[in-house]
Amino acid sequence: LGEAKNLPTYPGPNKMRDCYCTVNLDQEEVFRTKIVEKSLCPFYGEDFYCEIPRTFRHLSFYIFDRDVFRRDSIIGKVAIQKEDLQKYHNRDTWFQLQHVDADSEVQGKVHLELRLGEVITDTGVVCHRLATRVLECQGLPIVNGQCDPYATVTLAGPSRQTKVKKKTNNPHFDEVFYFEVTRPSSYNKKSHFDIEDVDEVDKMEIRVDLWNASNLKFGDEFLGELRLPLKFLRQSSSYEAWYFLQPRDNGNKSLKPDDLGSLRLNVVYTEDHVFSSDYYSPLRDVLLKSADVEPVSASAAHILGEVCREKQEAAIPLVRLFLHYGRIVPFISAIANAEVKRTQDPNTIFRGNSLTSKCIDETMKLAGMHYLQVTLKPIIDEICQVHKPCEIDPVKLKDGENLENNRENLRQYVDRIFTVITKSGVSCPTVMCDIFFSLRESAAKRFQGDLDVRYTAVSSFIFLRFFAPAILSPNLFQLTPHHPDPQTSRTLTLISKTIQTLGSLSKSKSANFKESYMATFYDYFNEQKYADAVKNFLDLISSSGRRDHKSIEQPILLKEGFMIKRAQGRKRFGMKNFKKRWFRLTNHEFTYQKSKGDHPLCSIPIENILAVERLEEESFKMKNMFQVIQPERRVLYIQANNCVEAKDWIDILTKVSQCNKKRLTVYHPSAYLNGHWLCCKATADNTPGCTPCTGGLPANIQLDIDGDRETERIYSLFNLYMPKLEKMQEACGSKSVYDGPEEEEYSTFIIDDPKETYKTLKLIIEGVGTLEQEHAQYKRDKFKKTKYGSQEHPIGDKSFQTYIRQQSEISAHSI
């Protein structure tokens, strides 16, 4: 989320607004930025990443104006259809804000059945009767925390109304309404209309409107509508299908888009279509052998780095795949060793954006997230909250600020952060230490005359590419929820620069700074004790054969936040009501308290979590609920704020409890209410579960990684860059046949051993070709089986219509 510009002025005297932006899946809010005060061009600069846990039609962004006394007002929105996300993929785009009103805010689908039949009345007149059956709806929006929907059906004249279904956004109506369509006397008793009757029916349409029953004085809220012309019943007298609800076209002209300003966004959307594991075996095996291939430049993983436009593109799925299969350390050791051998000057070691440096960055980000939380989060939180002035550039000093005081504030922060980093060696994750050990060994062996290279090889990662960026942009490393304000951001920039220089161990440190005020400030730290502390820290994190870190006693905070929980009913006559509580998960226990910082009201040791599963909405008529099952079938029911939060909590709770010896294999997907389980109707509350528990995740760092999904991503990259793979194959042939100087068009690739590289390329191209055929076959089969108007693909599903169009072009089948 970048920035907004030219927002409409506030009608009051100061004209400025206090704005924030939200990210929504359809109308469900999943993220909110901080509030930018007194601005019509607010800058957010915030990143939000999530796995999308459900189907959606629009990714929407709303700009709100905060109002202290009333409900915040919506200024405008940007809604991008799911099928259009690819158009804007990974590039900054300015979007015009659109006007928002109740009639345009629509989501959900409706299931209808229509039947047209002949009826002869008492007077002998023949007419047609239309039966409209409203079966059910799914995914209706929740308005102001509730949804009590009903439907109205109109043909001509007064509308008919279904019963109101309380507290559900997936109502089952199953109600039938009859409408008489009277025919003129010229009607003959055939099964089809004659010409003039057809015209009459063609003009008619059935309309279904969905409403939220509201007790407010403003009346019921419109949720969406559907308009169907009856002419399509000419071919068949009965019709049944799912439809997406549409906004109401009520004739009101909305404001010009220019009136509302615009919003700059960069959306990166990826969709992975993943087969079961056995499909990926050939390609995966070639990739996982990369660490053992001699030379490593002939391996499949290295080749991926060579053909991708950006090394980062290759590094992300490779690191995740190798982490998942426990092969990351040998792989990084092999590519790092090859890079060190090619390096001529010890001062430039690991300074480029090579595959090695990108892979180590990615590994540190995945493996070191908890390490950063433990080390930096407390002091970063303090810096963000206290707002001590730390500006040391005399030109940028504000009125009333004292340069010496500011220097002292900054010095204290740098000292504290430096101390927590250099004393955190025992907390550094084992996988990072093992990688640092191999970097140190390779560098020391290559540059035997330079005694410092064993330190600079490691410090160039741990300080320059791990701690310094995390201090500079804490929101990107999940240390703060939002981008810091400008003053805090400046303080963090000054701290990050100093820490980076302290960790670099370069000979002339003051020369590192372009600014004279930074060089002057650095004199505070130009003492031997700082250099010694850095060396001791680097020695500790790059030593081999270290102890198991599970013995570290200090609990690591994994996740916290407000959610709603149902009372567990421990007291015999206690109320089983719902209350908002602050939940906190560490690697030791799961607790909740009244508010942040209070004494816990309940603590569940991790070893007592026997399963964590979703809870069906029917149990309490509440969305985004899940259950934490404990010994003796005790269950804690919790409601998260939105679907993304619910998925995050379920994933992380499952992850930390994965190794528990007594984990359940079956559970009840619904609650035990009114003397029976709603799912299986069993009456005893200690009845074993009726549904298998969802598959668990590996218990260590490989936790969030799906190996098949990462292999699918690597396949997609190889497929995308197939022309380059073929060019590389040509280059191998050229080099191995002539063994002369490289032709210029082939010189972009590193090919140390043409024969070995050629062999690997052959295996890659075969593996990718096979997977490509499987994907094409799967699409053809799916195309044959899929019905437009089914629950999965309701009528109005534009992405499916696009899919049909594409398939029609490559297939003889039609739908």
Side-chain angles (χ1 to χ4, degrees), residues 572-628:
R572 192 165 179 187
F573 299 107
M575 295 273 288
K576 290 191 179 180
N577 53 354
F578 287 89
K579 289 181 177 169
K580 193 173 184 179
R581 293 288 180 255
W582 181 264
F583 283 81
R584 199 166 183 274
L585 175 66
T586 70
N587 56 340
H588 290 186
E589 61 182 357
F590 181 46
T591 60
Y592 62 77
Q593 50 233 52
K594 265 196 174 172
S595 49
K596 189 176 182 177
D598 287 358
H599 186 73
L601 298 171
C602 170
S603 168
I604 303 170
I606 295 298
E607 58 269 22
N608 280 359
I609 297 177
L610 306 186
V612 184
E613 297 287 349
R614 292 189 179 280
L615 186 71
E616 287 178 356
E617 193 183 319
E618 285 67 33
S619 299
F620 300 108
K621 306 290 187 198
M622 291 165 74
K623 281 173 77 72
N624 304 320
M625 286 202 74
F626 63 95
Q627 51 185 321
V628 178

Coordinates of all heavy atoms in Angstrom, one line a residue, residues 572-628:
R572 N -20.3 -25.0 37.7 CA -21.5 -25.8 37.4 C -22.6 -24.9 36.8 O -23.3 -25.3 35.9 CB -22.0 -26.5 38.7 CG -23.0 -27.5 38.4 CD -23.3 -28.4 39.5 NE -24.3 -29.4 39.1 CZ -24.8 -30.2 40.0 NH1 -24.4 -30.3 41.2 NH2 -25.8 -31.1 39.6
F573 N -22.8 -23.7 37.4 CA -23.9 -22.8 37.0 C -23.3 -21.6 36.2 O -24.0 -20.6 36.1 CB -24.7 -22.4 38.1 CG -25.4 -23.6 38.8 CD1 -24.9 -24.0 40.1 CD2 -26.4 -24.3 38.2 CE1 -25.5 -25.1 40.7 CE2 -27.0 -25.4 38.8 CZ -26.5 -25.8 40.1
G574 N -22.1 -21.7 35.8 CA -21.4 -20.5 35.1 C -22.0 -20.3 33.8 O -22.5 -21.2 33.1
M575 N -22.0 -19.0 33.4 CA -22.5 -18.6 32.0 C -21.5 -19.0 31.0 O -20.3 -18.8 31.1 CB -22.7 -17.1 32.0 CG -23.7 -16.5 32.9 SD -25.3 -16.5 32.2 CE -25.1 -15.2 31.0
K576 N -22.0 -19.6 29.9 CA -21.2 -20.0 28.7 C -21.3 -18.9 27.7 O -21.7 -19.1 26.6 CB -21.5 -21.3 28.2 CG -21.2 -22.5 29.1 CD -21.3 -23.8 28.4 CE -21.0 -25.0 29.3 NZ -21.1 -26.3 28.7
N577 N -20.9 -17.7 28.1 CA -21.0 -16.6 27.1 C -19.7 -16.3 26.4 O -18.7 -16.9 26.6 CB -21.5 -15.3 27.9 CG -20.6 -15.0 29.1 OD1 -19.7 -15.8 29.4 ND2 -20.9 -13.9 29.7
F578 N -19.8 -15.3 25.5 CA -18.6 -15.0 24.7 C -17.9 -13.7 25.2 O -18.7 -12.7 25.5 CB -19.0 -14.8 23.2 CG -19.3 -16.1 22.5 CD1 -20.6 -16.6 22.6 CD2 -18.3 -16.8 21.9 CE1 -20.9 -17.8 22.0 CE2 -18.6 -18.1 21.3 CZ -19.9 -18.6 21.3
K579 N -16.6 -13.7 25.3 CA -15.9 -12.5 25.8 C -14.7 -12.2 25.0 O -14.0 -13.2 24.5 CB -15.5 -12.7 27.3 CG -16.7 -12.7 28.2 CD -16.3 -12.9 29.6 CE -17.5 -12.8 30.6 NZ -17.2 -13.2 31.9
K580 N -14.3 -10.9 24.9 CA -13.1 -10.5 24.1 C -11.9 -10.7 25.1 O -12.0 -10.2 26.2 CB -13.3 -9.1 23.7 CG -12.2 -8.6 22.7 CD -12.6 -7.2 22.2 CE -11.6 -6.8 21.1 NZ -11.9 -5.4 20.6
R581 N -10.9 -11.3 24.6 CA -9.7 -11.6 25.5 C -8.4 -11.4 24.7 O -8.4 -11.5 23.4 CB -9.7 -13.0 26.1 CG -10.8 -13.3 27.1 CD -10.5 -12.6 28.4 NE -11.6 -12.8 29.4 CZ -12.5 -11.9 29.7 NH1 -12.5 -10.7 29.1 NH2 -13.4 -12.2 30.7
W582 N -7.3 -11.0 25.4 CA -6.0 -10.9 24.7 C -5.3 -12.3 24.8 O -5.0 -12.8 25.9 CB -5.2 -9.8 25.5 CG -3.8 -9.6 24.9 CD1 -2.7 -10.2 25.2 CD2 -3.5 -8.8 23.7 NE1 -1.6 -9.8 24.4 CE2 -2.1 -8.9 23.5 CE3 -4.3 -8.0 22.9 CZ2 -1.5 -8.2 22.5 CZ3 -3.6 -7.3 21.9 CH2 -2.2 -7.4 21.7
F583 N -5.1 -12.9 23.6 CA -4.5 -14.2 23.6 C -3.0 -14.0 23.3 O -2.6 -13.2 22.5 CB -5.1 -15.0 22.4 CG -6.5 -15.6 22.8 CD1 -7.6 -14.8 22.7 CD2 -6.6 -16.9 23.3 CE1 -8.8 -15.3 23.1 CE2 -7.8 -17.4 23.7 CZ -9.0 -16.6 23.6
R584 N -2.2 -15.0 23.9 CA -0.7 -14.9 23.7 C -0.2 -16.3 23.6 O -0.5 -17.2 24.4 CB -0.2 -14.3 25.0 CG 1.2 -13.7 24.9 CD 1.5 -12.8 26.1 NE 2.8 -12.2 25.9 CZ 3.9 -12.8 26.3 NH1 3.9 -13.9 26.9 NH2 5.1 -12.2 26.1
L585 N 0.6 -16.5 22.6 CA 1.2 -17.9 22.3 C 2.7 -17.8 22.4 O 3.3 -17.0 21.6 CB 0.7 -18.4 21.0 CG 1.3 -19.8 20.6 CD1 0.9 -20.9 21.5 CD2 1.0 -20.1 19.1
T586 N 3.3 -18.6 23.2 CA 4.8 -18.7 23.2 C 5.1 -20.2 22.9 O 4.2 -21.0 22.8 CB 5.4 -18.4 24.6 OG1 5.1 -19.4 25.5 CG2 4.9 -17.0 25.1
N587 N 6.4 -20.5 22.8 CA 6.7 -21.9 22.6 C 6.6 -22.8 23.8 O 6.8 -24.0 23.8 CB 8.2 -22.0 22.0 CG 9.2 -21.4 23.0 OD1 8.8 -20.6 23.8 ND2 10.4 -21.8 22.8
H588 N 6.1 -22.2 24.9 CA 5.8 -22.9 26.2 C 4.3 -23.1 26.5 O 3.9 -24.1 26.9 CB 6.4 -22.2 27.4 CG 7.9 -22.2 27.4 ND1 8.7 -21.8 28.4 CD2 8.8 -22.7 26.5 CE1 10.0 -21.9 28.1 NE2 10.1 -22.5 26.9
E589 N 3.5 -22.0 26.2 CA 2.1 -22.1 26.6 C 1.2 -21.1 25.8 O 1.7 -20.2 25.1 CB 2.0 -21.7 28.1 CG 2.4 -20.3 28.4 CD 2.4 -19.9 29.9 OE1 1.9 -20.7 30.7 OE2 2.8 -18.7 30.2
F590 N -0.1 -21.4 25.8 CA -1.1 -20.6 25.1 C -2.0 -20.0 26.2 O -2.6 -20.8 27.0 CB -1.9 -21.5 24.2 CG -3.0 -20.8 23.4 CD1 -2.7 -19.6 22.8 CD2 -4.3 -21.4 23.3 CE1 -3.7 -19.0 22.0 CE2 -5.3 -20.7 22.5 CZ -5.0 -19.6 21.9
T591 N -2.0 -18.7 26.4 CA -2.8 -18.1 27.5 C -3.7 -17.0 26.9 O -3.6 -16.5 25.8 CB -1.8 -17.3 28.4 OG1 -1.1 -16.3 27.7 CG2 -0.8 -18.3 29.0
Y592 N -4.7 -16.6 27.8 CA -5.5 -15.4 27.5 C -5.7 -14.6 28.8 O -5.6 -15.2 29.9 CB -6.8 -15.7 26.8 CG -7.8 -16.6 27.6 CD1 -8.6 -16.0 28.6 CD2 -8.0 -17.9 27.2 CE1 -9.5 -16.8 29.3 CE2 -8.9 -18.7 27.9 CZ -9.7 -18.1 28.9 OH -10.6 -18.9 29.6
Q593 N -5.8 -13.3 28.6 CA -6.0 -12.4 29.8 C -7.0 -11.3 29.4 O -7.3 -11.2 28.2 CB -4.7 -11.8 30.2 CG -3.9 -11.2 29.1 CD -2.5 -11.7 29.0 OE1 -2.2 -12.9 29.0 NE2 -1.5 -10.8 29.0
K594 N -7.5 -10.6 30.3 CA -8.5 -9.5 30.0 C -8.0 -8.5 29.0 O -8.6 -8.2 28.0 CB -8.9 -8.8 31.3 CG -10.2 -9.4 31.9 CD -10.8 -8.5 32.9 CE -12.2 -9.1 33.4 NZ -12.8 -8.4 34.5
S595 N -6.8 -8.0 29.2 CA -6.2 -7.1 28.3 C -4.7 -7.3 28.3 O -4.1 -7.9 29.2 CB -6.6 -5.7 28.5 OG -6.4 -5.3 29.9
K596 N -4.0 -6.7 27.4 CA -2.5 -6.9 27.2 C -1.8 -6.5 28.5 O -2.0 -5.5 29.0 CB -2.0 -6.1 26.0 CG -0.6 -6.4 25.7 CD -0.2 -5.6 24.4 CE 1.3 -6.0 24.0 NZ 1.7 -5.3 22.8
G597 N -0.9 -7.4 29.0 CA -0.1 -7.1 30.2 C -0.7 -7.6 31.5 O -0.1 -7.6 32.5
D598 N -2.1 -8.0 31.4 CA -2.7 -8.5 32.7 C -2.2 -9.8 33.0 O -1.6 -10.5 32.2 CB -4.2 -8.5 32.5 CG -4.9 -7.2 32.5 OD1 -4.1 -6.2 32.6 OD2 -6.1 -7.1 32.2
H599 N -2.5 -10.3 34.2 CA -2.2 -11.6 34.7 C -3.1 -12.6 33.9 O -4.3 -12.4 33.7 CB -2.5 -11.8 36.2 CG -2.0 -13.1 36.7 ND1 -0.7 -13.4 36.9 CD2 -2.7 -14.2 37.1 CE1 -0.6 -14.6 37.4 NE2 -1.8 -15.1 37.5
P600 N -2.5 -13.7 33.4 CA -3.4 -14.7 32.6 C -4.5 -15.2 33.4 O -4.4 -15.6 34.5 CB -2.4 -15.8 32.2 CG -1.0 -15.2 32.3 CD -1.1 -14.2 33.4
L601 N -5.7 -15.3 32.7 CA -6.9 -15.9 33.3 C -6.9 -17.4 33.1 O -7.5 -18.2 33.8 CB -8.2 -15.3 32.7 CG -8.4 -13.8 32.9 CD1 -9.5 -13.4 32.0 CD2 -8.7 -13.5 34.3
C602 N -6.2 -17.8 32.0 CA -6.1 -19.3 31.7 C -4.8 -19.5 31.0 O -4.4 -18.7 30.2 CB -7.3 -19.6 30.8 SG -7.2 -21.3 30.1
S603 N -4.2 -20.6 31.3 CA -2.9 -21.0 30.7 C -3.0 -22.5 30.2 O -3.3 -23.3 31.1 CB -1.8 -20.8 31.6 OG -0.6 -21.4 31.1
I604 N -2.8 -22.7 29.0 CA -2.8 -24.1 28.5 C -1.3 -24.4 28.0 O -0.8 -23.8 27.1 CB -3.7 -24.2 27.2 CG1 -5.1 -23.8 27.6 CG2 -3.7 -25.7 26.7 CD1 -6.1 -23.7 26.4
P605 N -0.7 -25.4 28.8 CA 0.7 -25.7 28.3 C 0.6 -26.3 26.9 O -0.4 -27.0 26.6 CB 1.1 -26.8 29.3 CG 0.2 -26.7 30.5 CD -1.1 -26.1 29.9
I606 N 1.7 -26.1 26.1 CA 1.7 -26.6 24.7 C 1.4 -28.1 24.7 O 0.7 -28.6 23.8 CB 3.0 -26.2 24.0 CG1 3.2 -24.7 23.9 CG2 3.1 -26.9 22.6 CD1 2.1 -24.0 23.1
E607 N 2.0 -28.8 25.6 CA 1.8 -30.3 25.6 C 0.4 -30.8 25.8 O 0.0 -31.9 25.6 CB 2.8 -31.0 26.6 CG 2.6 -30.6 28.0 CD 3.6 -29.4 28.4 OE1 4.0 -28.7 27.5 OE2 3.8 -29.2 29.6
N608 N -0.5 -29.8 26.3 CA -1.9 -30.2 26.5 C -2.8 -29.8 25.3 O -4.0 -30.0 25.4 CB -2.4 -29.4 27.8 CG -2.1 -30.1 29.0 OD1 -1.4 -31.1 29.0 ND2 -2.4 -29.5 30.2
I609 N -2.2 -29.3 24.3 CA -3.0 -29.0 23.0 C -3.0 -30.3 22.2 O -2.0 -30.7 21.6 CB -2.4 -27.9 22.3 CG1 -2.4 -26.6 23.1 CG2 -3.1 -27.7 20.9 CD1 -1.8 -25.3 22.4
L610 N -4.1 -31.0 22.1 CA -4.2 -32.3 21.5 C -4.7 -32.1 20.0 O -4.5 -33.1 19.2 CB -5.2 -33.2 22.2 CG -4.9 -33.4 23.7 CD1 -5.8 -34.4 24.3 CD2 -3.5 -33.8 24.0
A611 N -5.3 -31.0 19.7 CA -5.7 -30.8 18.3 C -6.2 -29.3 18.2 O -6.7 -28.8 19.1 CB -6.8 -31.7 17.8
V612 N -6.0 -28.7 17.0 CA -6.5 -27.4 16.7 C -7.2 -27.5 15.3 O -6.6 -27.8 14.3 CB -5.4 -26.4 16.6 CG1 -6.0 -25.0 16.4 CG2 -4.5 -26.4 17.9
E613 N -8.5 -27.3 15.3 CA -9.3 -27.5 14.1 C -10.3 -26.3 14.0 O -10.7 -25.7 14.9 CB -10.1 -28.8 14.2 CG -9.2 -30.0 14.3 CD -8.5 -30.4 12.9 OE1 -8.8 -29.8 11.9 OE2 -7.5 -31.2 13.0
R614 N -10.8 -26.2 12.7 CA -11.9 -25.2 12.5 C -13.2 -25.7 13.1 O -13.4 -26.9 13.3 CB -12.1 -25.1 11.0 CG -11.0 -24.4 10.2 CD -11.3 -24.1 8.8 NE -10.2 -23.4 8.2 CZ -9.9 -22.1 8.3 NH1 -10.7 -21.4 9.1 NH2 -8.9 -21.6 7.7
L615 N -14.1 -24.8 13.4 CA -15.4 -25.1 14.0 C -16.5 -24.7 13.0 O -16.4 -23.6 12.4 CB -15.6 -24.4 15.3 CG -16.9 -24.8 16.0 CD1 -16.7 -26.2 16.6 CD2 -17.2 -23.8 17.1
E616 N -17.4 -25.6 12.7 CA -18.4 -25.3 11.7 C -19.3 -24.1 12.1 O -19.6 -24.0 13.3 CB -19.3 -26.5 11.4 CG -18.6 -27.6 10.6 CD -19.4 -28.8 10.4 OE1 -20.5 -28.9 10.9 OE2 -18.9 -29.7 9.7
E617 N -19.6 -23.3 11.2 CA -20.3 -22.0 11.5 C -21.7 -22.2 12.2 O -22.1 -21.5 13.0 CB -20.5 -21.2 10.2 CG -20.9 -19.8 10.4 CD -21.2 -19.1 9.1 OE1 -20.4 -19.4 8.1 OE2 -22.2 -18.4 9.0
E618 N -22.3 -23.4 11.8 CA -23.6 -23.7 12.4 C -23.6 -23.8 13.9 O -24.7 -23.6 14.5 CB -24.2 -25.0 11.8 CG -24.6 -24.9 10.4 CD -23.5 -24.7 9.4 OE1 -22.4 -25.2 9.7 OE2 -23.7 -24.0 8.4
S619 N -22.5 -24.1 14.5 CA -22.4 -24.3 16.0 C -23.0 -23.1 16.7 O -23.8 -23.2 17.6 CB -21.0 -24.6 16.4 OG -20.6 -25.8 15.8
F620 N -22.4 -21.9 16.4 CA -22.8 -20.7 17.2 C -23.3 -19.6 16.3 O -23.4 -18.5 16.7 CB -21.6 -20.2 18.0 CG -21.1 -21.2 19.0 CD1 -19.9 -21.9 18.9 CD2 -21.9 -21.6 20.2 CE1 -19.5 -22.8 19.8 CE2 -21.5 -22.5 21.1 CZ -20.3 -23.1 20.9
K621 N -23.5 -20.0 15.0 CA -23.8 -19.0 13.9 C -22.8 -17.8 13.9 O -23.1 -16.7 13.8 CB -25.2 -18.3 14.2 CG -26.3 -19.3 14.4 CD -26.7 -20.0 13.1 CE -27.9 -20.9 13.2 NZ -28.0 -21.8 12.1
M622 N -21.5 -18.2 14.0 CA -20.4 -17.2 14.0 C -19.3 -17.7 13.0 O -19.0 -18.9 13.0 CB -19.8 -17.1 15.4 CG -20.8 -16.4 16.4 SD -20.3 -16.6 18.1 CE -18.9 -15.5 18.2
K623 N -18.8 -16.7 12.3 CA -17.8 -17.1 11.3 C -16.4 -17.1 12.0 O -16.2 -16.6 13.0 CB -17.7 -16.0 10.2 CG -18.8 -16.1 9.2 CD -18.8 -14.9 8.2 CE -17.6 -15.0 7.2 NZ -17.9 -16.0 6.2
N624 N -15.4 -17.7 11.2 CA -14.0 -17.7 11.6 C -13.7 -18.2 13.0 O -12.9 -17.7 13.7 CB -13.4 -16.2 11.5 CG -13.6 -15.7 10.1 OD1 -13.5 -16.4 9.1 ND2 -14.0 -14.4 10.0
M625 N -14.4 -19.3 13.3 CA -14.2 -19.9 14.6 C -13.3 -21.2 14.5 O -13.3 -21.9 13.5 CB -15.6 -20.3 15.3 CG -16.3 -19.1 15.7 SD -17.6 -19.6 17.0 CE -16.6 -19.9 18.4
F626 N -12.6 -21.4 15.6 CA -11.8 -22.6 15.7 C -11.8 -23.1 17.1 O -12.3 -22.5 18.0 CB -10.4 -22.4 15.1 CG -9.5 -21.4 15.9 CD1 -8.7 -21.9 16.9 CD2 -9.6 -20.1 15.6 CE1 -7.9 -21.0 17.6 CE2 -8.8 -19.2 16.3 CZ -7.9 -19.6 17.3
Q627 N -11.3 -24.4 17.3 CA -11.3 -25.0 18.6 C -10.0 -25.5 19.0 O -9.2 -26.0 18.1 CB -12.4 -26.1 18.6 CG -12.2 -27.1 17.5 CD -13.3 -28.2 17.5 OE1 -13.8 -28.6 18.5 NE2 -13.8 -28.5 16.3
V628 N -9.6 -25.4 20.3 CA -8.4 -25.9 20.8 C -8.8 -27.0 21.8 O -9.4 -26.8 22.8 CB -7.6 -24.8 21.6 CG1 -6.3 -25.4 22.2 CG2 -7.2 -23.7 20.6

